[in-house]
Amino acid sequence: MYINILGSAAGLPSKKRHTQAIILDMVDELNEYFLIDVGEAFQHRLLNTSIKPSKINHIFITHLHGDHIYGLPGFLSSRAHQGGEGKPLKIYGPKGLSEWLTTTFQVSETILNYPVEIVEIEDGSFISIKDVTIEVKTLDHNIESFLYVFKENDQKGALNVLKLKEIGIRPGPIYSEIKNSDTFVHDGVIYDTNDFLGPVIKGRKVCIHGDTRPLQSEVYFDLLKDADCVVHEATFLDHEYEKAYSYYHSEIHDVLSIQKDLRVKHYIFTHISNRYEEEFISNFIKTLPSNVSVAHDYFKYEIARKK
């Protein structure tokens, strides 16, 4: 599993940063990519990767500000001619998303060659896709904005091959059958499969925010606790707390201070204002803890499977 930041700028792009687009790469796990927000120039960024548009089957929109959605109609149109023909796509986002897309396609007379389903979400929405569940939480922005919490289902532990051999079961297809069963029979004896499995493999958790002021509530903190990765906006980097608050955005030190006890393994901050020169950002990164990253376009982070 990987986080791939294809657009890391705030509202206004710069020469080196494009507006928001995040890929949650789950090809190894689900054979698809989850796309979170689709800012302008997303298609151009995609051309410089190996990501196949036809493997983007689910899109999650955090909110309806232009720097998060203006690339969506163009991408949907292009996907139709990049291996997406006939492959259904589902889009989740705030109320108003369906009206905006429908109007855009009607006015431009755009016709897609694959089915699109738009699901308008709300606080507390719960989504299930294959072996992943997604919880939705409303954030604190000047329009409706959401946090998406992606959580893998827990998996059974590894088979204890030595223990199976001890009771006379040799390697073969039977091992897979045993792992997928609750009990199994060998030489007339009924065995509990759990006695032949290692510890449960805990699913990974990734929390991806839309634009927001830093939140402080127990419900919110519970969603983030022990996350493998939290992606959060940091429009402001240089202790501009009051300005960040007045613009309904976040300052990086404020977020880290508020969330210091949540045992988050790694933070990725994106949505960086173009007021900061890249030299400043490079020097600023050196002051951060090792589990904190400030994203640039094409920033990639691996979220290793738990042992």
Side-chain angles (χ1 to χ4, degrees):
M1 182 190 296
Y2 296 87
I3 290 283
N4 196 335
I5 308 290
L6 296 187
S8 61
L12 293 175
S14 65
K15 291 182 179 180
K16 292 188 176 181
R17 293 178 183 270
H18 290 64
T19 48
Q20 290 296 292
I22 301 171
I23 291 284
L24 179 56
D25 181 342
M26 299 200 69
V27 170
D28 288 345
E29 295 80 11
L30 307 179
N31 196 33
E32 71 169 285
Y33 302 95
F34 292 159
L35 171 58
I36 301 91
D37 288 339
V38 196
E40 290 178 85
F42 170 69
Q43 293 189 76
H44 298 276
R45 285 321 213 198
L46 206 59
L47 292 173
N48 294 311
T49 74
S50 60
I51 296 169
K52 295 180 179 179
S54 60
K55 287 191 175 183
I56 297 175
N57 302 319
H58 295 87
I59 298 175
F60 303 85
I61 301 298
T62 62
H63 63 294
L64 299 183
H65 277 156
D67 55 321
H68 295 254
I69 63 169
Y70 282 169
L72 181 56
F75 170 69
L76 295 180
S77 299
S78 295
R79 181 183 182 270
H81 307 287
Q82 295 174 321
E85 182 175 358
K87 294 187 176 181
L89 184 143
K90 189 174 284 191
I91 308 172
Y92 302 88
K95 184 178 180 180
L97 176 62
S98 181
E99 180 184 4
W100 176 69
L101 271 179
T102 300
T103 301
T104 298
F105 285 145
Q106 285 177 346
V107 171
S108 63
E109 298 186 6
T110 300
I111 299 175
L112 302 179
N113 59 10
Y114 57 89
V116 175
E117 181 181 354
I118 300 172
V119 179
E120 294 189 337
I121 57 173
E122 59 187 11
D123 186 54
S125 289
F126 189 85
I127 303 160
S128 181
I129 302 173
K130 300 178 183 176
D131 290 330
V132 177
T133 58
I134 302 103
E135 293 186 64
V136 178
K137 179 77 177 73
T138 301
L139 298 172
D140 184 9
H141 197 42
N142 59 345
I143 66 169
E144 191 172 47
S145 182
F146 293 115
L147 160 72
Y148 290 102
V149 179
F150 299 86
K151 176 70 167 61
E152 279 185 311
N153 296 338
D154 294 342
Q155 298 182 9
K156 290 183 176 181
L159 274 177
N160 187 326
V161 174
L162 290 177
K163 201 169 181 180
L164 287 171
K165 288 180 177 178
E166 286 175 0
I167 63 171
I169 302 179
R170 299 180 61 81
I174 186 65
Y175 278 16
S176 178
E177 295 175 17
I178 289 173
K179 186 169 184 178
N180 292 322
S181 65
D182 294 324
T183 61
F184 64 94
V185 178
H186 179 66
D187 286 344
V189 179
I190 300 175
Y191 294 92
D192 185 338
T193 301
N194 287 326
D195 293 337
F196 295 81
L197 296 176
V200 170
I201 300 171
K202 298 290 290 182
R204 291 163 287 187
K205 181 165 69 172
V206 179
C207 308
I208 300 181
H209 293 71
D211 291 1
T212 186
R213 292 166 171 166
L215 284 187
Q216 299 187 64
S217 77
E218 286 306 312
V219 172
Y220 170 71
F221 288 159
D222 284 344
L223 288 172
L224 266 60
K225 278 179 182 174
D226 299 307
D228 294 272
C229 184
V230 167
V231 180
H232 202 290
E233 71 130 291
T235 309
F236 296 87
L237 301 175
D238 201 16
H239 303 283
E240 299 144 298
Y241 305 112
E242 292 183 6
K243 184 178 287 187
Y245 187 85
S246 67
Y247 284 100
Y248 289 86
H249 283 294
S250 294
E251 195 281 336
I252 189 170
H253 301 93
D254 203 12
V255 175
L256 291 172
S257 175
I258 289 170
Q259 299 184 12
K260 62 181 177 6
D261 297 325
L262 300 185
R263 302 183 298 275
V264 173
K265 293 180 177 59
H266 199 87
Y267 282 95
I268 299 172
F269 287 95
T270 186
H271 202 271
I272 310 301
S273 171
N274 68 359
R275 67 172 54 82
Y276 302 111
E277 298 290 339
E278 291 301 323
E279 182 179 358
F280 168 84
I281 295 173
S282 295
N283 291 327
F284 175 76
I285 289 172
K286 298 174 185 176
T287 69
L288 297 173
S290 59
N291 70 326
V292 178
S293 300
V294 175
H296 50 79
D297 286 16
Y298 300 118
F299 175 91
K300 192 171 184 178
Y301 177 75
E302 181 179 5
I303 304 167
R305 189 176 292 280
K306 294 181 178 180
K307 297 181 180 179

